[in-house]
Amino acid sequence: MGESAAAETVPPSVGASVARIAVACAGAVPAVVVRLSGAELPPGAAVAVFGLGVLCSALLLMWAAETARADMAGALALALLAFIAVLPEYAVDLYFAYAAGSDPAYAAYAAANMTGANRLLVGVGWPLVALAAALALRRRGAAPGPVVLEPHRRIDVAFLAVAAVVAFVMPLTREIGWYVPVVLIPWYGYYLYRIAKCSTGEMEELVGVPARLAVLPRSGRRTVTAVLFAGAAAVVFACAEPFAHGLVEAGASLGIDRFVLVQWLAPLASEAPELIVAVVFAWRMRAGDGLGALLSSKVNQWTLLVGCLPLAHALGGGGAALPLVTRQVDEVALTAAQTVLAVVVLLDLHFVRWEAAVLFVLFAVQFALPGEYAREVLTYVYLSLAALLLTRRWRHLPDTGRALGGRVAGDPHF
């Protein structure tokens, strides 16, 4: 499988790479022009223009982050790449939390955006990787099998497991309290330290535009990477506020539930490039890398992003805790329950098709049954399934626990 994947990983031509970058830049231009001109757009147009800007800048950030791996190593690279990958999501969500400091109505939007991004990763991203992997194997005439994670990915599972348990404090207290960043931000820092200690000595093969950029001379590669980082980050921060405002206003003017737009449309725009990269990995017979990337992003968003929300709220003039309204209490509980099931599913480091189907179906059901009672029922369904699966996978708990501070079973680099 590895040789087949390597044979197919051919970088695009210089012309094709330049064309892809140019198209992404062109998609962000309207947002930049409107922002610099100070023009006011109708809510629907603002969502379209600035949403496209977020999507294109997220794609550029992903390419830059992937290319940077050719020049960076260790904890610094891990910290930078983890942050860059979800920078658009951070910008939008932290703006909502910051705005909530002066307008309490925005607190609900901050929680909605955060829960939507997290549930989208697990409920759609993970199943998409499994589907792409199955189709890739079938295309080669091989029988579809499970997506298998490398042993060092048990670190991600272990740290996500602890964060998942801690997360239930939020719906129980009906707030994201001041103590959440005190716990989760250092926890994410320790996660980076543990991952940095796991060095295989091999760089994962790059694909697409990053594969072409990585073969440039060192000075040229670093210059292009820095320009992409700076330009895309500037577009993200320029688009975050008007995009967030546009979502809220569009919900009111178009008769669409504004929570739905904030919870699903914004994360979809910011997460789409990352999901596409993961699916491409799976299609190229590297499903473990694709799922591993989304797993790392889940750890990032369920620790660092959540921990930053109360800080943004305080900086915006609010209190040290971000309050949760009734609906968002249920949303956070549902997201925490989905995270618990996701952890149990990956305890054996195998992700099979029926597990992917269950995660996707449970994600889709919430749209057919959007009521408050339905969210509570789904929360218990997630937890019940997790408990049922745990009875068959409890033997993996000791290895998972040891991954928090000791050796990783099966990994020769520990």
Side-chain angles (χ1 to χ4, degrees):
M1 181 181 297
E3 294 177 358
S4 175
E8 286 203 7
T9 307
V10 179
S13 66
V14 174
S17 298
V18 171
R20 294 178 189 179
I21 294 174
V23 169
C25 290
V29 167
V32 174
V33 171
V34 172
R35 187 66 166 154
L36 292 177
S37 68
E40 293 288 339
L41 297 179
V47 170
V49 170
F50 293 111
L52 180 61
V54 170
L55 177 61
C56 291
S57 58
L59 185 58
L60 292 171
L61 285 170
M62 285 298 301
W63 287 338
E66 286 289 302
T67 305
R69 291 161 53 195
D71 293 299
M72 304 178 67
L76 177 60
L78 290 167
L80 177 61
L81 300 186
F83 176 73
I84 289 296
V86 291
L87 181 59
E89 176 61 32
Y90 273 65
V92 174
D93 207 4
L94 293 182
Y95 169 75
F96 280 128
Y98 179 85
S102 56
D103 185 353
Y106 277 84
Y109 300 138
N113 191 252
M114 177 270 289
T115 55
N118 275 277
R119 295 220 294 278
L120 190 68
L121 270 180
V122 174
V124 176
W126 292 17
L128 277 178
V129 168
L131 175 62
L135 292 177
L137 287 170
R138 183 166 298 176
R139 184 182 60 161
R140 291 164 174 77
V147 177
V148 181
L149 294 172
E150 293 293 328
H152 72 266
R153 287 297 179 187
R154 195 174 293 281
I155 297 174
D156 302 72
V157 176
F159 276 80
L160 183 59
V162 174
V165 174
V166 172
F168 282 99
V169 173
M170 294 183 286
L172 290 175
T173 58
R174 306 180 70 86
E175 66 177 14
I176 305 179
W178 61 267
Y179 43 83
V180 172
V182 172
V183 174
L184 291 185
I185 293 179
W187 187 243
Y188 181 68
Y190 181 51
Y191 161 75
L192 291 181
Y193 170 77
R194 290 291 300 121
I195 288 292
K197 299 289 287 185
C198 175
S199 176
T200 63
E202 301 174 358
M203 191 183 83
E204 295 174 354
E205 196 172 1
L206 302 176
V207 297
V209 173
R212 173 54 60 188
L213 296 180
V215 299
L216 293 174
R218 177 178 296 182
S219 60
R221 179 176 64 238
R222 291 181 174 179
T223 299
V224 171
T225 301
V227 170
L228 289 178
F229 271 144
V235 173
V236 167
F237 286 111
C239 291
E241 180 180 353
F243 181 49
H245 271 303
L247 287 171
V248 175
E249 296 297 327
S253 63
L254 301 177
I256 303 174
D257 187 341
R258 64 190 68 184
F259 287 97
V260 172
L261 291 178
V262 169
Q263 189 168 35
W264 303 117
L265 183 58
L268 185 61
S270 59
E271 303 280 5
E274 186 177 10
L275 296 181
I276 292 172
V277 169
V279 169
V280 169
F281 276 137
W283 183 250
R284 293 178 180 271
M285 307 293 289
R286 295 171 53 195
D289 291 341
L291 183 59
L294 295 185
L295 175 59
S296 295
S297 292
K298 172 64 178 177
V299 176
N300 182 309
Q301 295 188 32
W302 204 229
T303 54
L304 186 60
L305 177 57
V306 175
C308 286
L309 293 181
L311 301 180
H313 183 253
L315 289 174
L322 182 70
L324 299 174
V325 299
T326 302
R327 177 171 179 175
Q328 298 313 317
V329 167
D330 295 335
E331 294 285 358
V332 172
L334 177 57
T335 308
Q338 184 205 49
T339 305
V340 170
L341 178 58
V343 167
V344 175
V345 161
L346 294 185
L347 278 178
D348 60 354
L349 301 182
H350 285 65
F351 189 49
V352 299
R353 285 179 294 170
W354 72 264
E355 293 169 337
V358 167
L359 288 178
F360 179 75
V361 168
L362 289 178
F363 176 85
V365 163
Q366 67 184 319
F367 297 102
L369 305 171
E372 177 181 342
Y373 179 70
R375 287 193 293 272
E376 294 179 1
V377 170
L378 279 175
T379 298
Y380 289 113
V381 169
Y382 274 118
L383 293 177
S384 298
L385 285 175
L388 182 62
L389 283 177
L390 188 58
T391 61
R392 302 174 60 87
R393 300 181 183 184
W394 60 269
R395 65 183 183 279
H396 298 290
L397 289 177
D399 287 340
T400 303
R402 282 191 288 270
L404 294 173
R407 297 177 59 85
V408 176
D411 193 334
H413 302 285
F414 274 78

